[in-house]
Amino acid sequence: MQTSGLTVYIVEDDQSVRDAVGLLLGLHGHAVAMFADAESFLQAYRPEWSGCLLLDIRMPGMTGLELQERLARIGCRMPAIVMTGHGDVDSARQAFRAQAVDFLEKPLDQARLLDAIAEAFERQDALRRTSESRAAIDRRLAALTPRELEVMELVVAGRHNRDIAAELGISVRTVEVHKARMMGKLGATSVADLVRLSLGAGAP
């Protein structure tokens, strides 16, 4: 699959594991970045990074699960794959509650690891597409006048032109003009299109 711009961020305190996993992923065409502990990853982290995290659970200092929680709090949406040499049910449950893609025990099964990374990249691509779509919708909405936004919100709420005219204190003809201009700017051809646009932007 296409992985352009996507990186596997390996956070693992065991250098031999780091090197082995980094080599494996490199041979399969993945870009990798390696960190010996959670603290060094946090110091280097940039919000624009995209890809997935491969986190060891048990590390000196902050654990992989603690790092996963910390990243979620600061808005990092990269999917995580959790790995451990000491797997247990409670740790797996905690990882999945935090939206981990998979929970892998060492020694790692190469096929399962590669499958988990492929799934993580699919999730990241889906998030990126959603974000780009919302940004495009927001740009269209920004082109509307305040009155056109008012008309849009009332149309999306299911109000008829006569009701909108009465609420805004304007004529039905003026409502129709604002509605036509608003739909033209948004590229909408129906009320259903307007509803989809408003939901995609998180608007009322």
Side-chain angles (χ1 to χ4, degrees):
M1 67 176 289
Q2 178 66 34
T3 61
S4 177
L6 298 178
T7 298
V8 181
Y9 296 91
I10 304 168
V11 186
E12 162 66 65
D13 64 306
D14 187 323
Q15 184 174 349
S16 62
V17 174
R18 272 201 319 274
D19 291 345
V21 174
L23 176 61
L24 170 68
L25 298 183
L27 290 173
H28 283 82
H30 293 301
V32 298
M34 297 186 286
F35 301 86
D37 53 56
E39 289 81 5
S40 61
F41 176 84
L42 284 172
Q43 288 173 3
Y45 173 70
R46 297 292 180 270
E48 62 269 20
W49 285 1
S50 62
C52 72
L53 302 160
L54 185 57
L55 307 177
D56 186 29
I57 280 189
R58 301 190 183 221
M59 295 182 288
M62 186 184 300
T63 69
L65 293 178
E66 289 168 344
L67 174 59
Q68 192 183 9
E69 292 170 358
R70 176 77 65 86
L71 289 170
R73 287 200 299 271
I74 64 175
C76 175
R77 303 184 71 189
M78 280 194 290
I81 301 162
V82 176
M83 56 184 176
T84 182
H86 312 276
D88 61 75
V89 174
D90 288 340
S91 294
R93 186 181 298 116
Q94 186 177 349
F96 285 122
R97 270 204 304 265
Q99 305 301 311
V101 174
D102 207 345
F103 183 88
L104 307 177
E105 291 193 61
K106 301 174 188 175
L108 299 176
D109 180 289
Q110 293 186 8
R112 186 172 170 184
L113 171 62
L114 293 170
D115 285 346
I117 289 171
E119 180 182 343
F121 280 177
E122 287 173 4
R123 288 191 191 183
Q124 180 76 122
D125 276 336
L127 286 170
R128 185 159 55 184
R129 288 193 298 270
T130 299
S131 177
E132 289 170 354
S133 176
R134 286 179 176 170
I137 292 170
D138 287 343
R139 285 193 295 272
R140 290 194 225 171
L141 290 172
L144 300 183
T145 66
R147 180 64 89 189
E148 288 165 352
L149 277 171
E150 288 179 324
V151 171
M152 175 185 168
E153 291 173 4
L154 291 169
V155 170
V156 168
R159 308 290 288 279
H160 296 292
N161 289 353
R162 288 190 305 274
D163 300 325
I164 296 172
E167 180 158 340
L168 298 181
I170 57 179
S171 70
V172 172
R173 176 59 184 159
T174 302
V175 171
E176 291 171 349
V177 170
H178 284 312
K179 184 176 177 180
R181 288 176 178 169
M182 172 264 294
M183 294 186 73
K185 289 178 181 180
L186 295 177
T189 59
S190 67
V191 173
D193 285 344
L194 289 180
V195 172
R196 280 193 290 271
L197 285 166
S198 67
L199 291 174

